[in-house]
């Protein structure tokens, strides 16, 4: 039993006009501040590395993006498993949101890796273990997003995606091992060099700062993306009538092509 | 209770595998379409890479496994295409057969077809590319473990896309990145077996075995939700 | 392009890509919020039943 004032207050609370909230504002502002600090320390203050030279500055971007990507796919895996167990929308949307962000950051990881390679090796691509593995995993998760984009009822889409989320994540260590053995035979210089760089002082600070800032950024992105996914489901529910009409049309088109396909198969 | 469960699964698998293989024996799609396709690609690679240059010979292990992978995609499509058309998938689901049993049956049938294909392709490659076969034991190890993995992953994804209309283009996109480590491991292992590479070959078999075991298990676990909801 | 050039591209490119993606997400959020009835706009524990089972 609520009084009219509490009712109005809770209405205001549940009726925001965007996906923002106090939590995201805090995360957002700290991310921006952190990024500014990162630019100062990563680009200007910290000295070039003894072994890697100026290219260490690219690693200040590369390492955080790959860390966020792996964390994102871990969340997708957990979300996928939990969805198959609990069958609640929350886990499905969490998995999907994390996967999309993961793909973005995997893409950025490859971009930064290629730029690092251009400086260090003179070419944009080498089949060194880390880049190769990232490329394979990127393609794997693009497949996840492709399946996600197929129109289907929520439970069907969620089940398919969850299966892929799990099948993809268990492949990660196997791909790593296979690629490391394979490219390791050729003594490829990995992105971290043949020895781990001795980073000190401001370099270490910039590296850890980068990691922390990108994690904040990831949290911010995930919350917003999750809310967008949630809203999309609610909007789709109310648009169900239109969707049914659309599918009826698709069905009559596909049965026409199915007839011609089956005639071709014989 | 547990042994009964396992025995039930094995019985179901045998039933489904038998059905798929009998279907293949009658329709001969594998024989009349998939195998010719594989041999055709072997031919095309020779055109593309010129047998007089050493490239073709050097690339043989990789080409062989690429052809196997492409053929496997076709074989998986066929295996589940049969199901989708008359919604036999739903009939299977309602038949009382256990989902892991159906999965393992399909995987077993796929394995038989793939192993037969790989055997014929090996002969073709020996004849047309002049490959000298050696290291038979390692080759058998590589081929068997790789085929388990390919069939298991194929069986899982085949079930996943069975009811999707665009599955012909989707299946390769999903399956091939997943099979990347199989391609790498099988090719490297084959190179060692054929004496082209010095390194140890059996670790690759080990990795292939792990891949196969992981995807057999995961596929069996995922097949019920996929059968019901995908 | 010089070393500095590539480093600039790395940082600017990363920030730009993340920024564009963030803006896209935010914009979608605003657009969808308008389409959805006010009481349904936030995920709350009580609304997360998977009612899709009924809508087969």
């Amino acid at each position: 039993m609520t009084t009219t004032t509490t009712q109005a207050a809770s209405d205001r609370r549940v009726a925001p006009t965007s996906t923002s909230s106090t939590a995201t504002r805090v995360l957002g502002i700290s991310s921006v501040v952190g990024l500014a600090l990162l630019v100062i320390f990563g680009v200007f203050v910290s000295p070039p590395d003894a072994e890697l030279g100026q290219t260490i500055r690219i690693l200040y971007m590369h390492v955080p993006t790959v860390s966020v990507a792996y964390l994102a796919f871990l969340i997708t895996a957990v979300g996928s498993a939990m969805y198959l167990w609990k069958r609640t929308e929350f886990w499905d949307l969490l998995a999907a949101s994390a996967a999309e962000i993961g793909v973005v950051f995997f893409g950025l990881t490859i971009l930064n890796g290629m730029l690092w390679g251009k400086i260090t090796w003179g070419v944009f691509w080498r089949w060194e273990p880390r880049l190769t593995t990232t490329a394979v995993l990127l393609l794997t998760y693009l497949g996840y997003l492709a399946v996600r984009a197929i129109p289907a009822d929520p439970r069907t889409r969620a089940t398919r995606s969850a299966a892929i989320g799990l099948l993809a994540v268990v492949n990660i260590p196997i791909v790593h091992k296979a690629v490391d053995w394979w490219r390791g035979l050729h003594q490829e210089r990995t992105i971290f060099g043949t020895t781990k760089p001795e980073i000190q002082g401001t370099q270490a600070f910039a590296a850890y700062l980068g990691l922390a800032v990108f994690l904040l950024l990831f949290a911010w992105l995930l919350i917003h993306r999750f809310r967008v996914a949630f809203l999309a489901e609610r909007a789709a529910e109310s648009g169900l009538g239109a969707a049914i009409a659309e599918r009826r049309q698709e069905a009559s088109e596909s049965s026409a092509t199915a007839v011609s396909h089956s005639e071709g198969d014989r | 209770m547990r042994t009964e469960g396992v025995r039930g699964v094995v019985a179901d698998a045998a039933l489904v595998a038998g059905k798929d293989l009998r279907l293949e024996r009658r329709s001969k799609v594998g024989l009349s379409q998939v195998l010719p396709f594989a041999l055709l690609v072997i031919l095309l690679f020779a055109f593309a890479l010129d047998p007089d240059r050493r490239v073709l010979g050097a690339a043989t292990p990789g080409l062989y496994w690429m052809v196997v992978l492409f053929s496997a995609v076709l074989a998986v499509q066929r295996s589940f295409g049969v199901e989708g058309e008359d919604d036999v998938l739903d009939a299977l689901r309602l038949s009382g057969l256990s989902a892991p049993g159906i999965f393992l049956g399909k995987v077993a049938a796929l394995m038989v077809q793939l192993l037969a294909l790989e055997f014929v392709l090996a002969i073709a490659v020996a004849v047309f590319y002049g490959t000298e076969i050696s290291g038979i034991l390692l080759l058998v190890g590589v081929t068997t473990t790789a085929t388990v993995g390919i069939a298991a992953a194929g069986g899982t994804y085949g079930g996943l896309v069975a009811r999707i209309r665009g599955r012909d283009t989707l299946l390769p996109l999903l399956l091939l990145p997943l099979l990347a480590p199989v391609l790498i491991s099988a090719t490297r292992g084959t190179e060692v077996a054929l004496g082209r590479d010095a390194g140890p070959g059996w670790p690759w078999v080990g990795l292939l075995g792990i891949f196969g075991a992981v995807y057999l298990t995961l596929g069996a676990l995922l097949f019920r939700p996929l059968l019901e909801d995908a | 392009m010089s070393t500095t050039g590539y480093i600039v591209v790395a940082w600017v490119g990363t920030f730009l890509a993340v920024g564009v993606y963030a803006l896209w997400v935010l914009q979608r959020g605003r657009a969808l919020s308008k389409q959805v009835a006010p009481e349904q706009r936030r995920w709350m524990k009580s609304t997360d039943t998977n009612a899709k089972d009924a809508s087969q």
Side-chain angles (χ1 to χ4, degrees):
Chain A
M1 227 119 56
T2 51
T3 65
T4 43
T5 41
T6 341
Q7 185 66 51
S10 59
D11 271 355
R12 250 179 280 122
R13 196 167 47 87
V14 304
T17 49
S18 74
T19 45
S20 304
S21 66
T22 320
T24 62
R25 282 187 205 104
V26 167
L27 284 169
I29 293 174
S30 23
S31 301
V32 171
V33 169
L35 284 170
L37 269 176
L38 186 61
V39 171
I40 294 171
F41 276 91
V43 179
F44 299 110
V45 171
S46 69
D49 183 61
E51 188 181 334
L52 296 165
Q54 296 286 358
T55 63
I56 194 173
R57 305 197 193 283
I58 297 192
L59 294 190
Y60 294 145
M61 289 280 100
H62 177 83
V63 174
T65 55
V66 73
S67 309
V68 165
Y70 275 112
L71 177 60
F73 293 135
L74 192 63
I75 293 177
T76 299
V78 169
S80 298
M82 290 301 294
Y83 174 78
L84 288 174
W85 181 24
K86 297 286 191 189
R87 297 286 179 177
T88 59
E89 184 186 65
F90 171 79
W91 292 112
D92 172 51
L93 298 184
L94 179 69
S97 307
E100 187 178 275
I101 298 173
V103 165
V104 170
F105 278 85
F106 249 179
L108 286 173
T109 301
I110 291 186
L111 173 73
N112 283 303
M114 288 171 71
L115 291 167
W116 184 89
K118 182 64 179 160
I119 301 175
T120 310
W121 308 314
V123 287
F124 282 114
W125 190 268
R126 269 244 188 114
W127 293 98
E128 67 93 42
R130 277 187 171 78
L131 271 183
T132 308
T133 302
T134 313
V136 173
L137 296 179
L138 179 63
L139 286 170
T140 310
Y141 282 94
L142 281 175
Y144 178 100
L145 294 184
V147 168
R148 196 81 203 162
I150 295 171
D153 71 86
R155 191 176 166 101
T156 303
R157 184 184 60 178
T159 305
R160 288 175 185 157
S161 314
I164 298 180
L166 290 175
L167 291 163
V169 82
V170 303
N171 208 25
I172 292 179
I174 301 179
V175 173
H176 268 291
K177 253 273 89 49
V179 174
D180 282 351
W181 281 356
W182 170 42
R183 298 317 288 166
L185 295 174
H186 301 261
Q187 307 288 306
E188 283 292 336
R189 198 180 151 87
T190 72
I191 279 193
F192 283 118
T194 47
T195 57
K196 207 153 163 79
E198 307 260 313
I199 54 175
Q200 21 71 330
T202 42
Q203 286 180 340
F205 179 72
Y208 288 119
L209 178 65
L211 209 51
V213 169
F214 271 77
L215 285 173
L216 287 174
L217 200 54
F218 172 61
W220 182 87
L221 280 171
L222 188 60
I223 294 177
H224 276 288
R225 187 62 188 86
F226 175 87
R227 287 177 180 161
V228 165
F230 177 80
L231 289 172
E233 289 308 297
R234 301 288 80 78
E237 275 166 12
S238 56
L240 201 55
I244 288 179
E246 202 188 322
R247 277 196 209 138
R248 283 215 184 96
Q249 201 199 4
E250 284 176 359
S252 63
E253 281 172 39
S254 80
S255 62
T257 48
V259 166
S260 59
H261 272 166
S262 58
E263 279 166 5
D265 262 4
R266 308 248 157 66
Chain B
M1 202 69 77
R2 192 120 169 92
T3 357
E4 248 170 278
V6 171
R7 232 182 265 146
V9 167
V10 172
D12 291 347
L15 203 73
V16 172
K19 166 192 80 85
D20 274 8
L21 290 173
R22 263 195 307 279
L23 205 71
E24 167 55 30
R25 197 177 55 196
R26 249 178 258 147
S27 68
K28 296 194 176 50
V29 165
L31 202 60
S32 63
Q33 290 180 20
V34 180
L35 181 59
F37 167 76
L39 293 173
L40 174 66
V41 179
I42 297 275
L43 195 76
L44 291 178
F45 275 140
F47 293 165
L49 297 180
D50 193 341
D52 289 336
R53 308 198 194 157
R54 286 183 24 251
V55 178
L56 190 66
T60 301
L63 297 178
Y64 175 86
W65 283 105
M66 288 242 56
V67 174
V68 169
L69 282 192
F70 290 145
S71 308
V73 171
L74 291 182
V76 170
Q77 294 284 29
R78 176 63 189 174
S79 168
F80 285 91
V82 181
E83 313 287 352
E85 267 160 31
D86 301 304
D87 222 349
V88 176
L89 207 60
D90 272 338
L92 273 176
R93 176 166 67 95
L94 298 168
S95 64
L97 293 170
S98 66
I102 299 174
F103 170 74
L104 290 172
K106 291 224 148 272
V107 168
L110 271 171
M111 272 198 70
V112 169
Q113 293 170 51
L114 284 174
L115 285 171
L117 178 83
E118 285 158 9
F119 181 71
V120 175
L121 277 181
I123 297 175
V125 151
V127 169
F128 294 118
Y129 293 175
T131 317
E132 282 172 25
I133 313 276
S134 65
I136 297 275
L137 196 61
L138 183 59
L139 272 183
V140 169
V142 168
T143 310
T144 324
T145 46
T147 309
V148 171
I150 296 171
T156 314
Y157 276 108
L160 201 156
V161 305
R163 296 193 189 94
I164 300 178
R165 244 177 305 113
R167 65 165 187 260
D168 292 319
T169 38
L170 195 57
L171 184 66
L173 175 65
L174 293 178
L175 194 52
L176 293 176
L178 202 81
L179 291 176
V182 172
L183 180 61
I184 293 172
S185 306
T187 309
R188 300 288 94 73
T190 305
E191 282 168 358
V192 172
L194 295 179
R196 291 146 190 248
D197 200 12
W202 289 99
W204 294 114
V205 176
L207 191 60
L208 286 168
I210 291 174
F211 184 95
V214 165
Y215 282 96
L216 265 183
T217 313
L218 197 54
L221 289 172
L222 289 174
F223 210 68
R224 151 152 290 118
L226 287 178
L227 201 58
E228 288 173 2
D229 293 316
Chain C
M1 192 156 45
S2 66
T3 301
T4 318
Y6 288 120
I7 294 175
V8 166
V9 171
W11 281 73
V12 169
T14 305
F15 280 28
L16 211 64
V18 173
V20 166
Y21 178 67
L23 285 173
W24 179 74
V25 171
L26 287 174
Q27 189 272 330
R28 271 197 81 195
R30 280 199 201 110
L32 283 169
S33 292
K34 292 199 192 89
Q35 291 180 36
V36 174
E39 51 300 343
Q40 289 201 304
R41 282 183 194 161
R42 268 303 146 85
W43 179 78
M44 312 251 171
K45 260 201 152 53
S46 55
T47 62
D48 78 333
T49 49
N50 194 1
K52 306 302 159 290
D53 294 3
S55 67
Q56 304 295 341

